[in-house]
Amino acid sequence: MQQPNEVLFYAGTYNSADYEAIILGALNKDTGEMRVLNNTKGIENPSYLAVNRSGTVLYAVSEKDEGEVYAFAIEPGSRALRLLGSRPTDGGAPCYVSISPQEDYIFVSNYSGGNVNVFPVNADGSLLEMSAQVKHEGSGIREDRQEAPHPHSVIPDRTGSHVLVCDLGLDQIVFYRLEDGKLVTHREVPLPPGSGPRHLAGHPSGQWLYLINELNSTITVFANDETSANLNILQNVSSLPEHYAAGSDDTAADIHVSPCGRFLYASNRGHDSIAVFYIDAATGLLEPQDWVTSGGRTPRNFAIIGGMLLSANQNSDNIVSFRIDRDTGRLIPTGNELEIPSPVCLKQL
């Protein structure tokens, strides 16, 4: 049972359907201690999760060759998951799921399938048949990683009228208009060749968007024009320390802006760190502040929860908690970790 000083979160993992692959955890906001409350079987490799605003429904992709997306009801009290149903994504390795601001659609990106899906949502959160699908075409300059399109994230804008797809294989962010459940191409925003765009994080003001580029370990800062649905590059900055000699194992992963809008965090696999940046309040530009070890190997995902940062370290099977200094944004290890197999996504309940 949840304690008064705890905040709850779900963790998605790489595990078989026979294993408890989605974990419900509790974080002590005072100490950073974490514990497992319950878990859910029946879904293979739930590598990305999304929870609706009321905390009554959870969506999870099943990252496998023939991808699926699942909808679960979150039971009051226990917060256990009850399956509402699943839908095929018609593509391999779905790796991202998001919810429209009006919560009437969900969006899924399929990394190896090269396609993006739209599913209408029933009143109870269950999924209707797919209403739209787009398939990207082309390739990038990296023959080892950009031989084909690889949509890595699909994110609606704040109005819900447009959807942004970061395609790692094409070095593009593709804007789509959402019209009656269909995706209509609006524009493509190119990135420097070999960037490998992965995830986006928005500033609370709506003025700026921040992109983590997996392949060259950089962060791109955009001026966000919501009126015309366009992005203009303001800055490219490395997610790694200045004098660090990056190797083939170094790939950037996740990115988040603090709720106050003053700090940005990014995770680096290989270097196994969380980077801390200061955000200029007037320009939105980034200034590097610090790099802190993630407390494990391969920090694929992290989340800001209960005034703390939790790092999901995929290859060391642990989640590590850090206190966030309110004045500087720097991360202070709490000394606490939660051991679970292959954690790859964290979402606050």
Side-chain angles (χ1 to χ4, degrees), residues 11-23 40 42-47 62-63 317 340-344:
T13 69
Y14 279 129
N15 270 302
S16 73
D18 296 327
Y19 190 84
E20 295 84 355
I22 301 178
I23 309 297
T40 302
I43 177 173
E44 180 181 351
N45 294 340
S47 64
S62 178
E63 188 174 330
D317 301 326
I340 64 171
S342 302
V344 290

Coordinates of all heavy atoms in Angstrom, one line a residue, residues 11-23 40 42-47 62-63 317 340-344:
A11 N 7.3 1.0 -14.2 CA 8.6 0.8 -15.0 C 8.3 -0.3 -16.1 O 7.8 -1.4 -15.7 CB 9.7 0.3 -14.1
G12 N 8.6 0.0 -17.3 CA 8.6 -1.0 -18.4 C 9.9 -1.6 -18.5 O 11.0 -1.0 -18.2
T13 N 9.9 -2.9 -18.9 CA 11.2 -3.6 -19.0 C 11.3 -4.4 -20.3 O 10.3 -4.6 -21.0 CB 11.3 -4.6 -17.8 OG1 10.3 -5.6 -18.0 CG2 11.1 -3.9 -16.5
Y14 N 12.5 -4.9 -20.6 CA 12.6 -5.9 -21.6 C 12.5 -7.3 -20.9 O 13.4 -7.7 -20.2 CB 14.0 -5.8 -22.3 CG 14.0 -4.7 -23.4 CD1 15.0 -3.8 -23.4 CD2 13.1 -4.7 -24.4 CE1 15.0 -2.8 -24.4 CE2 13.1 -3.8 -25.4 CZ 14.1 -2.8 -25.4 OH 14.1 -1.9 -26.4
N15 N 11.4 -7.9 -21.1 CA 11.2 -9.3 -20.5 C 10.1 -10.0 -21.2 O 9.3 -9.4 -22.0 CB 10.7 -9.1 -19.0 CG 11.9 -9.1 -18.1 OD1 12.7 -10.1 -18.1 ND2 12.1 -8.1 -17.3
S16 N 10.0 -11.3 -21.1 CA 9.1 -12.1 -21.8 C 7.7 -11.9 -21.2 O 7.5 -11.4 -20.0 CB 9.4 -13.6 -21.7 OG 9.2 -14.1 -20.4
A17 N 6.7 -12.4 -21.9 CA 5.3 -12.3 -21.4 C 5.0 -13.2 -20.2 O 4.1 -12.9 -19.5 CB 4.3 -12.7 -22.5
D18 N 5.9 -14.1 -19.9 CA 5.8 -15.0 -18.7 C 6.3 -14.3 -17.5 O 6.1 -14.9 -16.4 CB 6.5 -16.3 -19.0 CG 5.9 -17.1 -20.1 OD1 4.7 -17.0 -20.3 OD2 6.7 -17.8 -20.8
Y19 N 7.0 -13.2 -17.6 CA 7.6 -12.6 -16.5 C 6.8 -11.3 -16.2 O 6.1 -10.8 -17.0 CB 9.1 -12.2 -16.8 CG 9.9 -11.7 -15.6 CD1 10.5 -12.6 -14.7 CD2 10.0 -10.4 -15.4 CE1 11.2 -12.2 -13.6 CE2 10.7 -9.9 -14.3 CZ 11.3 -10.8 -13.4 OH 12.0 -10.4 -12.3
E20 N 7.0 -10.8 -14.9 CA 6.3 -9.6 -14.5 C 7.0 -8.4 -15.2 O 8.0 -7.8 -14.6 CB 6.4 -9.4 -13.0 CG 5.6 -10.5 -12.3 CD 6.3 -11.8 -12.0 OE1 7.5 -11.9 -12.5 OE2 5.8 -12.7 -11.4
A21 N 6.6 -8.0 -16.4 CA 7.4 -7.1 -17.2 C 7.0 -5.7 -16.9 O 7.8 -4.8 -17.3 CB 7.1 -7.4 -18.7
I22 N 5.9 -5.3 -16.4 CA 5.6 -4.0 -16.0 C 5.5 -3.9 -14.5 O 4.8 -4.7 -13.8 CB 4.2 -3.5 -16.6 CG1 4.3 -3.5 -18.1 CG2 3.9 -2.0 -16.1 CD1 3.0 -3.1 -18.8
I23 N 6.3 -3.1 -13.9 CA 6.5 -3.0 -12.4 C 5.8 -1.7 -11.9 O 6.0 -0.6 -12.5 CB 8.0 -3.0 -12.0 CG1 8.7 -4.1 -12.7 CG2 8.1 -3.0 -10.5 CD1 8.3 -5.5 -12.3
T40 N 3.0 -6.9 -13.4 CA 2.0 -7.4 -14.4 C 2.7 -8.3 -15.4 O 3.8 -7.9 -16.0 CB 1.4 -6.2 -15.2 OG1 0.7 -5.3 -14.2 CG2 0.4 -6.7 -16.2
G42 N 2.1 -11.0 -19.0 CA 1.2 -11.1 -20.1 C 1.5 -10.2 -21.3 O 0.8 -10.2 -22.3
I43 N 2.6 -9.4 -21.2 CA 3.1 -8.6 -22.3 C 4.6 -8.7 -22.5 O 5.3 -8.7 -21.5 CB 2.7 -7.1 -22.1 CG1 3.2 -6.2 -23.3 CG2 3.1 -6.6 -20.8 CD1 2.7 -4.8 -23.2
E44 N 5.0 -8.9 -23.7 CA 6.4 -9.1 -24.0 C 7.1 -7.7 -24.3 O 6.6 -6.9 -25.1 CB 6.6 -10.0 -25.2 CG 8.0 -10.2 -25.6 CD 8.2 -11.1 -26.8 OE1 7.1 -11.7 -27.3 OE2 9.3 -11.3 -27.4
N45 N 8.2 -7.5 -23.7 CA 9.0 -6.3 -23.9 C 8.2 -5.0 -23.9 O 8.2 -4.2 -24.9 CB 9.8 -6.4 -25.2 CG 10.8 -7.5 -25.2 OD1 11.2 -7.9 -24.2 ND2 11.2 -8.0 -26.4
P46 N 7.6 -4.6 -22.8 CA 6.9 -3.3 -22.8 C 7.9 -2.2 -22.6 O 8.1 -1.7 -21.5 CB 5.9 -3.5 -21.5 CG 6.7 -4.4 -20.6 CD 7.4 -5.4 -21.5
S47 N 8.5 -1.8 -23.7 CA 9.6 -0.9 -23.6 C 9.3 0.6 -23.5 O 10.2 1.4 -23.3 CB 10.5 -1.1 -24.8 OG 9.8 -0.8 -26.0
S62 N 4.5 -3.3 -27.2 CA 5.2 -4.6 -27.0 C 6.2 -4.7 -28.2 O 5.9 -4.9 -29.3 CB 4.2 -5.8 -27.1 OG 4.8 -7.0 -27.1
E63 N 7.5 -4.4 -27.8 CA 8.5 -4.3 -28.8 C 9.0 -5.7 -29.2 O 9.9 -6.3 -28.6 CB 9.7 -3.5 -28.2 CG 10.8 -3.1 -29.2 CD 11.8 -2.2 -28.7 OE1 11.5 -1.4 -27.8 OE2 13.0 -2.3 -29.2
D317 N 20.4 -3.6 -14.6 CA 19.2 -4.1 -13.9 C 18.9 -3.3 -12.7 O 18.5 -3.9 -11.6 CB 19.3 -5.6 -13.6 CG 19.6 -6.4 -14.8 OD1 19.0 -6.1 -15.9 OD2 20.3 -7.4 -14.7
I340 N 15.6 -4.3 -10.6 CA 14.7 -5.0 -11.4 C 15.3 -5.3 -12.8 O 16.2 -4.5 -13.2 CB 13.3 -4.2 -11.6 CG1 13.6 -2.9 -12.4 CG2 12.7 -3.9 -10.3 CD1 12.3 -2.2 -12.8
P341 N 14.9 -6.4 -13.4 CA 15.6 -6.7 -14.7 C 15.3 -5.8 -15.8 O 14.1 -5.4 -16.1 CB 15.0 -8.1 -15.0 CG 14.5 -8.6 -13.7 CD 14.0 -7.4 -13.0
S342 N 16.3 -5.3 -16.5 CA 16.2 -4.5 -17.7 C 15.2 -3.4 -17.7 O 14.3 -3.3 -18.6 CB 15.9 -5.5 -18.9 OG 16.9 -6.4 -19.0
P343 N 15.3 -2.4 -16.8 CA 14.3 -1.3 -16.8 C 14.6 -0.4 -17.9 O 15.8 0.0 -18.1 CB 14.5 -0.7 -15.4 CG 16.0 -0.9 -15.1 CD 16.3 -2.3 -15.7
V344 N 13.6 0.0 -18.7 CA 13.8 0.8 -19.9 C 12.9 2.0 -20.0 O 13.0 2.8 -21.0 CB 13.9 0.0 -21.2 CG1 15.1 -0.9 -21.2 CG2 12.6 -0.8 -21.4

